[in-house]
Amino acid sequence: MNGTSSAGDEATDANGTPADANGTPAGGRATGVGVPAGIDPSRPSAARIYDYFLGGKDNFEADRAVAEHLLKLDPRTVEAVRENRRFLVRAVRHLVEDAGIRQFLDIGTGLPTQDNVHQVAARYAPDARVVYVDNDPLVLAHARALLSGGGATIVQGDLRRPDEILANPDVREALDFSRPVAVLLVAVLHFVADDEDPRGAVATLRDAVPSGSRIVLTHGTADGPYARGEESTEAYRKADRSLTLRSLDEISPFFDGLDPVPPGLTWVQRWWPERPYEDGDLRGMYAGIGVKR
């Protein structure tokens, strides 16, 4: 989901994302479902920082401080995050229309926004089923409120413990693992440190789904001439998740045992783009989809 709520009278950018008069994401305070137990507003959250970049209201002063620092390092961070969101919409449509996928396991889903996975999938296949997984109490509270009475499911889980996700009875009830499943790992693997075995987590998920399934991922990187990787990593030190930016060569092994969907692992802006991009616009994240053999 990875997202935002919005008010009708706010200024928006060209993409309809709430923004101030200067195009900066409009910040706010956590709203709607209130602040669930276990939330420390003084500790920045990766999900709420991402929400701020998308123009959301579900963030606190500590989140906005980190986000603004990241924007000072590179003002185009906002656009990279939004490009990641656009990729997700394109990917889900491809999976439904071109690959015939009807089941989605979205891990590290983030806060709800517009064009959530279940909404995009339902446009092209009303019978599509989606399971959202996250470990953030605020994400879970908002998602449960959004999905009340809907066709999607939200469960608590952590990518670092994939076996627990796969064994969750709500996941097993919602998804048929004898049929292809799209596992979505969008903007989440860079929050799993090397010593937490991210490659092992992806391999466990890959091995659990049948032939014809897809693994979809985007991953933050410090590749590129304008990257400020060390400073960006440092900005997350006090957050609930550390940031591990990886190079193209370090991200490629996540696709071991998978056949890449053209154009393969590439800049997120270049994965089936809707418009051309200049080389200077290519930054922030890599994206790719692999097919289980």
Side-chain angles (χ1 to χ4, degrees):
M1 285 177 281
N2 297 315
T4 177
S5 58
S6 60
D9 58 354
E10 289 181 325
T12 60
D13 69 4
N15 301 306
T17 304
D20 66 16
N22 298 315
T24 301
R29 58 185 177 81
T31 58
V33 298
V35 182
I39 291 291
D40 179 2
S42 68
R43 187 181 187 189
S45 155
R48 298 194 303 265
I49 293 168
Y50 192 94
D51 173 72
Y52 178 78
F53 286 142
L54 287 175
K57 292 286 188 181
D58 300 310
N59 49 75
F60 300 103
E61 182 177 352
D63 309 307
R64 298 191 288 274
V66 173
E68 288 295 337
H69 178 64
L70 291 167
L71 289 175
K72 288 179 181 177
L73 294 175
D74 187 348
R76 286 163 289 196
T77 300
V78 168
E79 186 58 22
V81 169
R82 293 177 186 174
E83 288 290 351
N84 179 72
R85 186 72 201 174
R86 295 179 191 119
F87 161 80
L88 177 60
V89 173
R90 297 195 303 271
V92 171
R93 179 174 182 177
H94 157 71
L95 292 166
V96 173
E97 287 199 314
D98 302 324
I101 299 291
R102 296 294 182 269
Q103 303 186 109
F104 296 83
L105 180 61
D106 184 359
I107 301 176
T109 179
L111 285 156
T113 183
Q114 297 176 355
D115 282 339
N116 298 301
V117 171
H118 70 286
Q119 294 168 324
V120 177
R123 288 177 198 157
Y124 310 103
D127 59 335
R129 289 177 285 176
V130 179
V131 174
Y132 294 111
V133 181
D134 210 288
N135 64 357
D136 187 310
L138 189 62
V139 170
L140 295 168
H142 276 264
R144 284 168 179 152
L146 173 71
L147 299 176
S148 178
T153 302
I154 179 75
V155 302
Q156 184 171 7
D158 194 312
L159 176 57
R160 294 168 292 188
R161 297 186 293 277
D163 289 321
E164 294 180 10
I165 295 173
L166 295 167
N168 186 297
D170 291 331
V171 174
R172 306 305 299 193
E173 180 179 357
L175 302 178
D176 178 359
F177 282 83
S178 69
R179 298 170 51 226
V181 177
V183 179
L184 308 182
L185 304 172
V186 177
V188 64
L189 278 164
H190 47 245
F191 293 116
V192 182
D194 290 335
D195 61 5
E196 294 172 318
D197 194 19
R199 289 180 63 180
V202 175
T204 297
L205 294 165
R206 178 201 66 209
D207 293 346
V209 295
S211 177
S213 295
R214 268 63 171 173
I215 303 292
V216 181
L217 69 82
T218 63
H219 198 299
T221 184
D223 288 356
Y226 307 105
R228 305 285 293 274
E230 291 185 9
E231 295 97 326
S232 298
T233 299
E234 183 61 32
Y236 276 89
R237 294 290 185 204
K238 295 181 180 179
D240 59 346
R241 306 181 197 178
S242 62
L243 179 67
T244 303
L245 299 175
R246 296 183 174 96
S247 68
L248 183 65
D249 288 343
E250 292 172 317
I251 298 169
S252 293
F254 290 125
F255 288 94
D256 287 351
L258 303 170
D259 294 324
V261 174
L265 182 60
T266 185
W267 291 108
V268 68
Q269 296 91 339
R270 281 193 169 158
W271 204 95
W272 291 21
E274 296 171 352
R275 63 181 178 86
Y277 291 89
E278 300 293 333
D279 287 347
D281 295 327
L282 303 175
R283 65 181 64 247
M285 290 192 187
Y286 288 115
I289 297 180
V291 183
K292 171 76 177 286
R293 297 168 186 163

